Amino acid sequence: MNRKQESTQPFDQNIATGYKNVLRFSMQNPFTAWFMLRTLFHYHAASHKRETWAAQGVRVPPMLICSITHTCNLSCKGCYAKVLHTPKQGDLDPEKFANLVAQADEIGISIMMLAGGEPFTRPELLDITDRYPKIIFPIFTNGLLLKGGLFDKLIKQKQTIPIISLEGDEQETDERRGVGVFDRIQDLILRLEQVKHMFGVSITVTRENFHTVTSPRFIEKLVGLGSRILFFINYVPVDPGTENLMLDPAQLGSLKNILEDYRHKYPALFVGFPSGEEEFGGCLAAGKGFVHINSEGDVQPCPFSPYADSNLKSKSLIEALRSPLLQRVLRNVAENEESNGICGLWQKREWVESLEKASPDI
């Protein structure tokens, strides 16, 4: 295997650079600046743990993506989680989920990106994240449950960062997520801005909303309200018959340039996925940058590749990272072509499924 292609180093360096950029544009807020300095220190300390595991032949990625529940309070059109992740045995119970976070902290995971379903339907979530101030928890949420005591608990945890889903302006968001959702999201963003709690937004970019969500007007409004992380997720047509929503070649080509331009113009991080993975040395799945853990504990190459040969109900996290399936995918990670803006492993899902069924010998 090409060691350069499998190395986590490009991803590590880009994360560290991203933290430094957040620090740079947070200097007017001493509390946020101090938090980012601590975060950089913890990140470098965790990277040494990962290097120790690497010397023992175990690739510990900087980040875990965890879809922690199937439950959601909305029913959005084209939701990939509902299409790809069909419940079988139920979510990890609170004790096992808490144990997963404890293991991640112990072995040097720096970021646990939490998704769902809707993560805030798990009542124990913020009690668990509160115990681990050295891990950054971006939580991808529709935001509608963040009110009352839950909101008060969230804003006491600087390491827990809500990433609020938007589809564009009111028409685009309500069309996909339901009437009135956009206005409720705006109220939440204003509350987060008032208390100066860091937040971001996640935008599913389609052929239809491309011009809205990449326009300076849209970006300047979000950044002006305090958003410091903007994820641009290329639409992946996991729902048959929605291929018309994929970005066309011209949009794909311009998106990369637009995000690079905005990184120099605005005090925020701009992250493209999956096509943005090229900046990190290609596909980041199977441990090169992250692995995906679904709500039932299956350890998978990525969210768009729902195949696993290890489950955290019967294995430790470090044992699961030795998974034969992950190793096979990692050997071929350089071949995952994503220049069309679509997850390479999703495009090669039959191949990944064949690896899952292969002999466990590697």
Side-chain angles (χ1 to χ4, degrees), residues 199-224:
F199 72 93
V201 296
S202 173
I203 304 157
T204 302
V205 189
T206 71
R207 192 172 304 187
E208 294 178 349
N209 72 359
F210 179 86
H211 292 294
T212 296
V213 301
T214 60
S215 68
R217 175 194 62 81
F218 184 76
I219 300 303
E220 287 169 6
K221 180 179 179 181
L222 288 173
V223 174

Side-chain angles (χ1 to χ4, degrees), residues 285-320:
K288 184 180 174 185
F290 58 76
V291 296
H292 177 246
I293 300 171
N294 73 8
S295 67
E296 299 179 83
D298 292 325
V299 181
Q300 304 169 336
C302 89
F304 291 106
S305 187
Y307 306 101
D309 59 1
S310 298
N311 185 281
L312 297 179
K313 292 176 182 176
S314 58
K315 291 185 177 182
S316 69
L317 179 56
I318 205 69
E319 289 172 329

Side-chain angles (χ1 to χ4, degrees), residues 92-205:
L92 288 176
D93 63 39
E95 182 180 357
K96 286 188 171 60
F97 174 56
N99 185 254
L100 164 60
V101 183
Q103 291 182 67
D105 182 60
E106 179 66 25
I107 67 175
I109 300 293
S110 293
I111 302 170
M112 291 192 70
M113 189 174 287
L114 306 182
E118 170 50 52
F120 286 111
T121 61
R122 294 202 66 149
E124 77 280 7
L125 174 58
L126 291 179
D127 294 325
I128 294 172
T129 57
D130 189 45
R131 301 173 204 163
Y132 300 95
K134 296 179 183 180
I135 297 178
I136 298 296
F137 296 96
I139 303 182
F140 284 70
T141 175
N142 58 51
L144 302 190
L145 302 180
L146 276 173
K147 52 190 176 182
L150 195 62
F151 181 84
D152 294 338
K153 190 179 291 187
L154 169 77
I155 62 175
K156 294 177 182 178
Q157 302 181 28
K158 284 191 175 296
Q159 78 277 19
T160 305
I161 304 171
I163 307 295
I164 303 163
S165 298
L166 277 174
E167 312 303 327
D169 288 328
E170 182 175 7
Q171 179 179 346
E172 291 95 343
T173 299
D174 285 2
E175 170 65 23
R176 188 179 185 206
R177 298 188 170 268
V179 176
V181 170
F182 181 83
D183 285 341
R184 295 170 70 183
I185 289 173
Q186 296 303 301
D187 289 342
L188 171 61
I189 288 175
L190 287 172
R191 282 185 284 134
L192 289 167
E193 194 276 334
Q194 287 170 357
V195 297
K196 305 302 179 186
H197 189 85
M198 189 179 296
F199 72 93
V201 296
S202 173
I203 304 157
T204 302
V205 189

Side-chain angles (χ1 to χ4, degrees), residues 37-52:
L37 278 172
R38 286 175 44 214
T39 298
L40 268 169
F41 174 80
H42 294 321
Y43 187 82
H44 289 303
S47 70
H48 291 310
K49 289 185 180 181
R50 297 194 293 270
E51 289 169 3
T52 299

